[in-house]
Amino acid sequence: MIIDIPHIQITEPNVLAENRVASEKTEPFDIPKKEEENSSKFTEASISSEGKEISERQESYLDSHAFPNIFSQSYISHNTSLVARKIVSELKKWEENSTPDSLAYIAEIKDIVENYQSYLYLKNEDRILISLLKSLLESNNWESITQSSIKYLRIEISRFIDGDVNWKNLETFSKQLYRNNFSVIGNLDDR
Amino acid sequence: MTAKTKPRIIIETTVLRDKFFYSSVADDIKKLSVNSKLFTSFFIIYEFKAGFLKGLIDYYYLIKIKGNIADAKITWSNNFKMRDIKNSLLIEALILKIFGKWDTSTVETYLYQIESAIFYLSTNMCTEIDEVIGYFGDSKVVKYDVKGNADYKDFVETIIKNKLPFDKFWDENKVVLLSLLNGITTRTGKNKPVAKIYQSLLKIQEDLSNSMKSNVSKSVGDAVITVDTPILFKVATTDSSFDELCPILSKEVIKITRDHNIAHI
């Protein structure tokens, strides 16, 4: 049985294993039809309002379905893409409007990650991506981050904008974070 | 006129691990990489994976089995042995950092954080290394690429089922083994690391098959690294046992400390 509710495809639990196996194979990026029609709208300017609307609907769904493990591969990819676009958009705004109270941007990014994490926990690679992002946000001294670092981070997260997270681009992302002195596990210097 | 070759440095297990936890160690590796060629050995990668990464995976499983973080932490702290103390302390510190910062209302979320830390450590273990050399290149553990939690069970089984061929290694290095035994001056003392290494090397000399025993092989890791390091290479380490072992085989030590001083002995 497949139940269609706006933007959320729910399959029976016994279909899940099949979906997971399929997700590990190369699968063409397939965003849900409604988003496909509007995909050209996903400019940085429109991400904010459109994303907010989608986010509100998803949050309300999530409120009543804690840790659902029933989303399709394409739906997870769609959400990964949305997270990456939103974060990139915030980082770009941060780069352009850097002020002493720029922490508002990082707070916004934390919200984005928190709001979308449940979707991304369902696929191995996406789960590690969202967990890396969470750790990244907690482990760095954002009060003293340079604009060039913000730019680096924006470029690195952009690699996931098409929603395709695989081991290769995830490894590159992890290495680039390390090379650019972003901490994911924190260090013990102050202990 | 011949071009001057860059100094060649082996990055030892403690440095490979501590770079993730101490910015001074990470900075020192970066400084060394400017004018030197950085190496590590297959055995050092084995130690990192079978020691440190496996320790984290064990902790991951403990939480899964116990179902709550508090019980897992108690079991974990009662679990580690003296020889694993450095790894255990760093894993504890890492876990505390994650534990202290993250929403632990669900065990699942907490496990994901550990999973991402394991991925990060695994992918960046050799980020600054130019080349991996030495014995044990055929080890399945060395070749194993640990990604997500789907790999953990198989990875742990691979470690258990695939012991390194230490007997062959020492058989091919009998003369060097004798040099080490003759050169070590710290031969007694219950808790002195080099004295422990000496006693274990003696057992190996008596019978090469002793090298395959777990308690022996785990206590001679620093000796294996010293022997496995090519002549004219330097060993960058935070471990004091190399101060005594390396000079015996005419190898130089670069001592890396956690306070930004690279000390050459």
Side-chain angles (χ1 to χ4, degrees):
Chain A
M1 183 179 72
I2 296 177
I3 305 163
D4 278 320
I5 58 173
H7 303 284
I8 299 172
Q9 187 185 44
I10 302 173
T11 53
E12 284 180 334
N14 61 358
V15 182
L16 175 66
E18 224 175 284
N19 284 346
R20 280 194 177 148
V21 173
S23 76
E24 283 168 22
K25 294 172 187 168
T26 312
E27 195 174 324
F29 177 54
D30 175 27
I31 53 174
K33 275 187 176 172
K34 197 155 189 178
E35 269 60 60
E36 200 170 26
E37 288 162 14
N38 298 330
S39 59
S40 60
K41 284 187 192 171
F42 275 121
T43 60
E44 283 178 356
S46 66
I47 284 168
S48 181
S49 59
E50 187 163 341
K52 193 180 172 190
E53 188 191 332
I54 293 168
S55 172
E56 278 168 2
R57 266 181 281 153
Q58 288 167 340
E59 276 170 36
S60 96
Y61 178 80
L62 274 181
D63 285 342
S64 55
H65 297 75
F67 276 98
N69 56 354
I70 45 179
F71 298 123
S72 67
Q73 164 66 31
S74 61
Y75 190 67
I76 296 168
S77 291
H78 163 71
N79 280 293
T80 304
S81 172
L82 210 52
V83 169
R85 284 165 192 267
K86 280 165 154 279
I87 294 175
V88 165
S89 169
E90 288 301 318
L91 289 171
K92 193 159 194 183
K93 279 189 268 178
W94 192 358
E95 264 177 82
E96 287 165 357
N97 310 315
S98 187
T99 61
D101 59 357
S102 298
L103 288 177
Y105 294 110
I106 209 71
E108 180 66 29
I109 292 169
K110 276 191 83 169
D111 278 348
I112 294 165
V113 170
E114 292 291 329
N115 291 343
Y116 283 83
Q117 61 186 1
S118 298
Y119 300 103
L120 275 60
Y121 279 154
L122 304 174
K123 185 177 152 244
N124 286 338
E125 295 91 327
D126 296 68
R127 182 176 67 241
I128 287 177
L129 173 65
I130 200 80
S131 300
L132 280 175
L133 288 172
K134 286 182 72 170
S135 301
L136 178 78
L137 291 168
E138 284 293 327
S139 305
N140 291 277
N141 185 12
W142 297 102
E143 295 93 326
S144 57
I145 196 162
T146 62
Q147 275 195 306
S148 61
S149 294
I150 300 168
K151 188 179 175 186
Y152 265 126
L153 193 56
R154 177 171 62 78
I155 292 166
E156 291 309 323
I157 293 176
S158 297
R159 74 176 70 243
F160 302 110
I161 243 167
D162 62 0
D164 178 26
V165 185
N166 54 55
W167 291 117
K168 197 171 167 58
N169 63 17
L170 203 52
E171 274 181 23
T172 309
F173 179 62
S174 170
K175 285 185 179 187
Q176 288 298 89
L177 290 181
Y178 178 81
R179 286 191 179 115
N180 289 298
N181 296 321
F182 283 106
S183 177
V184 167
I185 58 175
N187 63 52
L188 307 179
D189 293 345
D190 303 327
R191 283 168 61 88
Chain B
M1 200 173 84
T2 54
K4 197 180 171 187
T5 54
K6 283 182 169 184
R8 285 164 288 179
I9 299 170
I10 287 276
I11 302 296
E12 190 263 331
T13 325
T14 55
V15 181
L16 219 52
R17 181 196 60 202
D18 287 357
K19 69 176 187 174
F20 291 109
F21 297 95
Y22 299 95
S23 57
S24 60
V25 177
D27 289 347
D28 285 347
I29 294 184
K30 278 177 193 161
K31 280 180 204 160
L32 288 173
S33 70
V34 175
N35 295 315
S36 310
K37 195 170 178 190
L38 302 188
F39 294 80
T40 198
S41 70
F42 295 113
F43 179 72
I44 290 168
I45 290 177
Y46 177 89
E47 278 201 323
F48 185 92
K49 288 184 172 178
F52 189 54
L53 284 189
K54 184 182 171 291
L56 267 172
I57 290 169
D58 286 344
Y59 187 85
Y60 176 95
Y61 279 133
L62 256 184
I63 296 172
K64 260 197 146 167
I65 294 163
K66 295 282 177 185
N68 73 76
I69 294 150
D71 284 355
K73 281 173 70 65
I74 291 165
T75 309
W76 175 254
S77 59
N78 292 331
N79 198 31
F80 62 76
K81 300 177 180 71
M82 278 304 286
R83 66 166 178 267
D84 297 327
I85 198 159
K86 286 181 192 168
N87 281 345
S88 302
L89 289 175
L90 287 172
I91 291 168
E92 268 284 271
L94 174 60
I95 299 306
L96 278 171
K97 271 189 168 282
I98 297 171
F99 180 75
K101 284 179 174 176
W102 290 101
D103 171 21
T104 53
S105 57
T106 67
V107 171
E108 217 165 359
T109 311
Y110 182 61
L111 288 173
Y112 296 155
Q113 291 311 126
I114 299 175
E115 188 187 15
S116 75
I118 291 170
F119 178 79
Y120 178 77
L121 294 166
S122 175
T123 52
N124 286 304
M125 176 178 52
C126 290
T127 300
E128 306 91 343
I129 302 298
D130 296 307
E131 202 174 325
V132 185
I133 54 170
Y135 212 77
F136 306 116
D138 291 334
S139 163
K140 285 183 180 173
V141 177
V142 171
K143 290 176 181 170
Y144 205 108
D145 197 7
V146 187
K147 290 180 173 119
N149 59 19
D151 298 325
Y152 294 171
K153 188 168 172 278
D154 189 45
F155 176 65
V156 172
E157 281 174 2
T158 303
I159 292 172
I160 294 165
K161 287 178 186 168
N162 294 275
K163 286 188 174 179
L164 292 181
F166 287 115
D167 48 353
K168 277 187 185 173
F169 175 80
W170 287 112
D171 191 33
E172 289 177 26
N173 288 287
K174 275 181 189 165
V175 179
V176 189
L177 172 62
L178 198 61
S179 302
L180 270 180
L181 283 168
N182 289 332
I184 291 173
T185 53
T186 314
R187 297 180 175 185
T188 54
K190 207 174 176 183
N191 290 318
K192 289 181 180 170
V194 178
K196 274 189 170 180
I197 292 170
Y198 180 80
Q199 296 303 325
S200 294
L201 288 177
L202 266 184
K203 285 178 187 166
I204 294 170
Q205 197 204 22
E206 283 165 13
D207 184 349
L208 286 177
S209 66
N210 284 337
S211 64
M212 296 304 288
K213 291 178 180 168
S214 176
N215 59 335
V216 173
S217 65
K218 282 186 177 173
S219 61
V220 295
D222 292 353
V224 171
I225 292 169
T226 307
V227 172
D228 200 26
T229 297
I231 299 290
L232 300 177
F233 277 52
K234 299 173 184 181
V235 178
T237 181
T238 64
D239 199 326
S240 61
S241 59
F242 289 95
D243 297 351
E244 183 161 352
L245 296 173
C246 280
I248 297 169
L249 302 179
S250 305
K251 289 159 193 176
E252 203 178 321
V253 177
I254 299 174
K255 280 304 278 295
I256 291 183
T257 60
R258 290 162 179 171
D259 57 2
H260 264 299
N261 295 316
I262 298 179
H264 295 253
I265 68 160

